[in-house]
Amino acid sequence: MKTKEELKRMVCEAIDRRRDEIIAFADDVASEPELGFKELKTSAKFVRLLESLGRTPRTGIAQTGVVDAYQGAGSEIRVAVMGEMDAILVADHPDADKLTGAVHACGHNAQLASVAAIAYALHDTGLMQYLDGDIVLMGLPAEEYVEITYRNKLREEGKLWFLSGKQEFIRLGEFDDIDISVMQHSAVAEPGYKAGVTSVCTGFTAKLINYKGKAAHAGAAPFDGVNALNAAMLGLMAVHAQRETFRDEDHIRVHPIITKGGDIVNVVPADVRLETYVRGSNTDAILNASEKVNRAFRAGGDAVGADCEIIELPGYLPAVQCEALNDLMYEELKSLLGENAVQRVCAGFGGGSTDQGDVSHLLPSIQSFFAGVEGGLHANNFCMKDKDLTVLTAAKAMLCLVIELLYDGAAAGRKVKEGFKPVLTKEEYLRQWGRLE
Ligand SMILES: [Zn+2]
Ligand SMILES: [Zn+2]
């Protein structure tokens, strides 16, 4: 029987031996970036890699998702290790797909490659025979909550209910038998730090806004029309007028875009469309701000006599921290990178959101951060500088954490599970989003 420390050393060495293949996989995924629920090539690459290791993963879950479950010697605790597959749209990024504008400017290729690294390590070391629990590797679709109109169409066609991958995985029961979820994200770190245990994320609700006016000749008879673009502009101004009422501690962010501003220039715009999030640090504040934003958008329509239709869509929940899991990850990161390089809690309030926030309401969950990125996330200067950190070290940290959780009767894993009180059951979760409809 090997000690826990021997197992951790064994998997770290195994990951190092596969370094070139793992980095090549990260680069391969980055070379063909795909937006959420369209990750057909990306998921096929991940599946091919798993199949080359003799695995038969389940595929096509929530459109493009991949799941591969590994059974331990005992099945006390089941840990999901997740990687996201989707890119973001930054059309002027030098690596952006010429046709679609998609680019891996959020580092999800590094996430998926770190899960691939774990698949290599499990294959090469036979680790599962030493663990009293199972590991479920997941490739997840659509973390970025974008192309809302497109996804809402999939929703209306019955292909989705939620608009993100992990939410759909929850709905489809993929987390029903999972006790703990683990993932990582690339980050632009504060000076001196190479990794962070965790950071705080906001939640949000999403909206599609459609102003309907009346078309007329823009030169000859604008008085016969109802200008939906004017309604939208007034609506946006009215949203801005709400901002002074938001409390600092609620971290409300409202950032609408116009996705359709009219049809042709010599016709009074009769169909104008917008998308927005209303983000915040807690659900009550989000709902409160959401009502104000709806009122403001409707006011724009009232001002010019246009109709204002608002479709509410389920967004993401703010991330819930599992401190027991955070403490264990802190130890793994310190032993891999040294104490001074690891940030226990990221400073400031993270204004971003993730569907891992939803998962964290149901089961103990962790998303650690690994530096190695320059420029900005979602920006045209994003650059993944240190893949050894964002891919290999991240994979080692996650797998060492899993060994810690599942070794010796999965004592640590059971302790984490027993000490965690879910904020919501799955049923409550589904009902919660239903109430926003
Ligand atoms: Zn992102
Ligand atoms: Zn991301």
Side-chain angles (χ1 to χ4, degrees):
M1 189 64 190
K2 290 181 188 295
T3 67
K4 209 162 50 179
E5 282 61 41
E6 284 171 339
L7 292 180
K8 290 180 183 177
R9 206 173 317 122
M10 177 178 81
V11 297
C12 288
E13 287 169 4
I15 288 171
D16 282 333
R17 276 196 299 275
R18 293 279 196 171
R19 178 189 182 279
D20 292 350
E21 288 150 283
I22 296 163
I23 299 290
F25 179 74
D27 291 343
D28 188 25
V29 170
S31 74
E32 293 184 286
E34 298 169 299
L35 293 181
F37 294 123
K38 301 173 179 173
E39 310 97 328
L40 295 170
K41 291 179 190 165
T42 307
S43 63
K45 287 174 188 183
F46 186 45
V47 167
R48 268 201 303 279
L49 184 144
L50 294 169
E51 286 175 347
S52 77
L53 300 173
R55 306 292 305 176
T56 48
R58 289 189 293 122
T59 61
I61 302 158
Q63 307 297 312
T64 57
V66 180
V67 173
D68 192 13
Y70 296 69
Q71 209 172 357
S75 292
E76 296 284 341
I77 289 286
R78 212 164 158 86
V79 181
V81 183
M82 306 184 290
E84 292 155 357
M85 301 192 295
D86 58 325
I88 189 81
L89 207 153
V90 187
D92 63 346
H93 190 288
D95 298 333
D97 185 291
K98 298 284 173 287
L99 220 56
T100 65
V103 60
H104 273 286
C106 202
H108 297 181
N109 60 315
Q111 268 185 38
L112 193 64
S114 65
V115 177
I118 291 173
Y120 277 124
L122 296 180
H123 172 268
D124 294 352
T125 65
L127 175 70
M128 296 313 298
Q129 65 185 297
Y130 303 104
L131 301 182
D132 295 317
D134 303 333
I135 301 177
V136 183
L137 302 185
M138 294 181 174
L140 281 144
E143 186 276 332
E144 306 288 358
Y145 195 106
V146 298
E147 296 191 301
I148 302 175
T149 303
Y150 164 75
R151 291 187 195 175
N152 190 47
K153 191 166 151 280
L154 295 180
R155 192 176 197 246
E156 285 169 356
E157 290 168 2
K159 292 176 181 160
L160 302 170
W161 195 87
F162 286 104
L163 271 63
S164 92
K166 292 184 204 70
Q167 295 180 309
E168 278 293 277
F169 267 46
I170 292 172
R171 182 180 72 87
L172 296 168
E174 292 296 331
F175 285 106
D176 285 0
D177 61 355
I178 301 292
D179 299 302
I180 295 169
S181 84
V182 176
M183 64 177 295
Q184 61 106 355
H185 203 292
S186 307
V188 184
E190 290 170 47
Y193 292 112
K194 289 185 173 171
V197 176
T198 186
S199 81
V200 185
C201 290
T202 55
F204 68 90
T205 178
K207 301 172 191 298
L208 291 173
I209 302 104
N210 187 4
Y211 287 104
K212 292 173 187 159
K214 185 168 169 241
H217 195 294
F223 35 78
D224 286 337
V226 175
N227 191 318
L229 183 59
N230 285 339
M233 290 192 298
L234 290 165
L236 288 170
M237 290 306 295
V239 168
H240 293 319
Q242 310 303 312
R243 295 188 194 276
E244 68 185 45
T245 72
F246 301 147
R247 293 173 195 275
D248 293 351
E249 61 268 31
D250 292 333
H251 301 278
I252 298 295
R253 293 260 199 284
V254 189
H255 41 88
I257 59 168
I258 296 179
T259 54
K260 184 182 178 198
D263 290 295
I264 52 174
V265 70
N266 58 0
V267 172
V268 171
D271 180 4
V272 170
R273 292 165 193 251
L274 295 85
E275 296 180 357
T276 195
Y277 293 178
V278 178
R279 298 193 204 238
S281 60
N282 62 83
T283 309
D284 287 343
I286 295 169
L287 292 174
N288 179 276
S290 172
E291 280 174 26
K292 292 177 180 173
V293 167
N294 286 354
R295 185 181 65 202
F297 277 129
R298 282 195 298 267
D302 289 347
V304 300
D307 287 335
C308 176
E309 180 193 54
I310 300 174
I311 298 175
E312 302 280 0
L313 292 162
Y316 295 164
L317 296 176
V320 174
Q321 301 301 320
C322 173
E323 290 306 332
L325 210 46
N326 291 347
D327 288 342
L328 292 175
M329 190 51 143
Y330 189 40
E331 295 305 316
E332 299 305 332
L333 292 174
K334 279 195 294 187
S335 73
L336 282 166
L337 294 165
E339 183 165 2
N340 292 337
V342 183
Q343 205 171 16
R344 177 63 180 78
V345 179
C346 295
F349 196 91
S353 309
T354 167
D355 53 357
Q356 176 70 343
D358 294 50
V359 179
S360 74
H361 277 66
L362 308 180
L363 55 140
S365 302
I366 186 166
Q367 176 172 243
S368 296
F369 287 79
F370 291 84
V373 167
E374 288 184 0
L377 296 179
H378 296 200
N380 65 2
N381 63 352
F382 175 94
C383 177
M384 179 110 18
K385 272 274 189 246
D386 186 352
K387 292 173 202 162
D388 286 282
L389 187 55
T390 58
V391 179
L392 300 184
T393 305
K396 290 174 190 173
M398 291 195 294
L399 192 47
C400 288
L401 174 67
V402 173
I403 291 169
E404 190 67 35
L405 291 167
L406 300 184
Y407 191 76
D408 190 20
R414 283 189 282 115
K415 201 167 159 208
V416 166
K417 183 184 176 183
E418 284 156 18
F420 181 81
K421 192 179 173 318
V423 181
L424 298 170
T425 64
K426 179 181 169 184
E427 289 64 35
E428 287 166 344
Y429 170 78
L430 295 175
R431 218 177 305 134
Q432 160 136 346
W433 279 125
R435 83 181 158 138
L436 286 170
E437 284 217 300

